[in-house]
Amino acid sequence: MADDTPLAPQKSKNGLQRISKALGYSLQGLRAAVRHEAAFRQELLLVTPLAIAAPFVARGAWELVALWGVLVALLVVELLNSALEALADAISIEHHPLLGRAKDLGSAAVLLTLLFGALVWGVALGRLLG
């Protein structure tokens, strides 16, 4: 039995048009993060010099991938956390325990990503200096 439920207009696109639209939405999201999210801007200030330094720190291709990977992961998790916070605030700006918990969980995800990134960079720098 076929489902005749109409799709949202953006879901009916396929091929290059869909890819083009998705890229546009992604760039809009990055611009919004830079414009509206102080934590994302701060993390960009941390990530940028580290990304430039990574090829000089890494002892091989896999180490370089790991160093860059944790930097990208930090930005991705921060974007998801910011999206979660924006959604929670759109639902209600009043204090609600479940919305507060959702925001705290997002923040914890960012913290764990930062800690893991520090571990990866610490190991790489330790090998370089030791």
Coordinates of all heavy atoms in Angstrom, one line a residue, residues 1 31 36 42 54 62 67-68 81 85 88 92-93 98 100 106 111 113 116 122 124 126 130:
M1 N 0.8 -1.2 0.0 CA 0.0 0.0 0.0 C 0.9 1.2 0.0 O 1.7 1.4 0.9 CB -0.9 0.0 1.2 CG -1.8 1.2 1.4 SD -2.9 0.9 2.8 CE -4.3 1.6 2.1
R31 N 26.6 30.6 9.6 CA 26.6 32.0 9.8 C 25.8 32.4 11.0 O 26.2 33.3 11.8 CB 25.9 32.7 8.6 CG 26.9 32.9 7.4 CD 26.3 33.8 6.3 NE 25.1 33.3 5.7 CZ 25.1 32.4 4.6 NH1 26.3 32.1 4.1 NH2 24.0 32.0 4.1
H36 N 25.3 34.5 16.4 CA 24.5 34.5 17.6 C 25.0 33.7 18.8 O 24.5 33.8 19.9 CB 23.1 33.9 17.3 CG 22.4 34.7 16.2 ND1 21.9 36.0 16.4 CD2 22.1 34.5 14.9 CE1 21.4 36.5 15.3 NE2 21.5 35.5 14.4
Q42 N 34.0 31.5 20.5 CA 35.1 31.2 21.3 C 35.8 29.9 20.9 O 37.1 29.9 20.9 CB 34.7 31.1 22.8 CG 34.2 32.4 23.4 CD 33.5 32.3 24.7 OE1 33.1 31.2 25.1 NE2 33.3 33.4 25.4
A54 N 48.3 21.8 13.7 CA 48.2 20.4 13.7 C 49.2 19.7 12.8 O 49.9 18.7 13.2 CB 46.8 19.9 13.4
W62 N 47.6 9.7 10.4 CA 46.5 9.3 11.3 C 46.5 10.2 12.5 O 45.4 10.6 13.0 CB 46.6 7.8 11.7 CG 46.1 6.9 10.7 CD1 46.9 6.1 9.9 CD2 44.8 6.8 10.2 NE1 46.1 5.4 9.0 CE2 44.8 5.9 9.2 CE3 43.6 7.4 10.6 CZ2 43.6 5.5 8.5 CZ3 42.4 7.1 9.9 CH2 42.5 6.1 8.9
L67 N 44.0 14.8 15.3 CA 44.1 16.2 15.8 C 43.0 17.1 15.2 O 42.3 17.9 15.9 CB 45.5 16.8 15.6 CG 46.6 16.2 16.4 CD1 48.0 16.7 15.9 CD2 46.4 16.4 17.9
W68 N 42.9 17.0 13.9 CA 41.8 17.8 13.2 C 40.4 17.2 13.6 O 39.5 18.0 13.7 CB 42.0 17.7 11.7 CG 43.0 18.7 11.2 CD1 43.5 19.8 11.8 CD2 43.7 18.7 9.9 NE1 44.4 20.5 11.0 CE2 44.5 19.8 9.8 CE3 43.6 17.8 8.9 CZ2 45.3 20.0 8.7 CZ3 44.4 18.0 7.8 CH2 45.3 19.2 7.7
N81 N 24.5 21.4 20.4 CA 24.1 22.0 21.6 C 23.4 23.3 21.4 O 22.4 23.6 22.1 CB 25.4 22.2 22.5 CG 25.0 22.7 23.9 OD1 24.1 22.2 24.6 ND2 25.7 23.8 24.3
E85 N 19.6 24.2 22.5 CA 19.2 25.4 23.3 C 18.2 26.3 22.6 O 17.3 26.8 23.2 CB 20.5 26.1 23.7 CG 21.3 25.4 24.7 CD 22.6 26.2 25.1 OE1 22.8 27.3 24.6 OE2 23.3 25.7 26.0
A88 N 14.9 24.6 22.7 CA 14.3 24.7 24.1 C 13.8 26.1 24.3 O 12.7 26.2 24.9 CB 15.4 24.3 25.1
S92 N 9.8 27.3 25.3 CA 9.5 28.1 26.5 C 10.7 28.7 27.1 O 11.7 28.1 27.2 CB 8.8 27.2 27.5 OG 8.6 27.9 28.7
I93 N 10.6 30.0 27.4 CA 11.7 30.6 28.1 C 11.5 30.5 29.6 O 12.3 30.9 30.4 CB 11.9 32.1 27.7 CG1 10.6 32.9 27.9 CG2 12.3 32.2 26.3 CD1 10.7 34.4 27.7
L98 N 12.6 19.6 32.5 CA 13.1 18.8 31.3 C 13.8 19.6 30.3 O 14.8 19.2 29.8 CB 11.9 18.1 30.7 CG 11.2 17.0 31.5 CD1 10.0 16.5 30.8 CD2 12.2 15.9 31.9
G100 N 15.6 22.3 31.1 CA 16.8 22.6 31.8 C 17.7 21.3 31.7 O 18.9 21.5 31.5
G106 N 23.3 18.8 26.8 CA 24.0 19.4 25.7 C 25.3 20.0 26.1 O 26.4 19.8 25.5
L111 N 31.4 19.5 27.1 CA 32.5 19.4 28.0 C 33.3 18.1 27.7 O 34.5 18.1 27.7 CB 32.0 19.3 29.5 CG 33.0 19.0 30.5 CD1 34.1 20.1 30.6 CD2 32.3 18.8 31.9
T113 N 33.6 16.5 24.9 CA 34.3 16.7 23.7 C 35.5 17.5 23.9 O 36.6 17.2 23.4 CB 33.4 17.3 22.6 OG1 32.2 16.5 22.5 CG2 34.1 17.3 21.3
F116 N 38.1 15.3 25.8 CA 38.7 14.3 24.9 C 39.7 15.0 23.9 O 40.7 14.4 23.6 CB 37.6 13.5 24.1 CG 38.2 12.5 23.2 CD1 38.8 11.4 23.7 CD2 38.0 12.6 21.8 CE1 39.4 10.4 22.8 CE2 38.6 11.6 20.9 CZ 39.2 10.6 21.5
G122 N 47.0 16.5 24.1 CA 48.1 16.3 25.1 C 49.0 15.1 24.8 O 50.2 15.2 24.9
A124 N 49.5 13.9 21.7 CA 50.3 14.3 20.5 C 51.5 15.3 20.9 O 52.6 15.1 20.4 CB 49.4 14.9 19.5
G126 N 52.8 15.6 23.9 CA 53.7 14.8 24.7 C 54.7 14.0 23.9 O 55.9 13.9 24.2
G130 N 58.5 14.9 24.0 CA 59.1 13.9 24.8 C 59.9 13.0 24.0 O 61.0 12.6 23.8

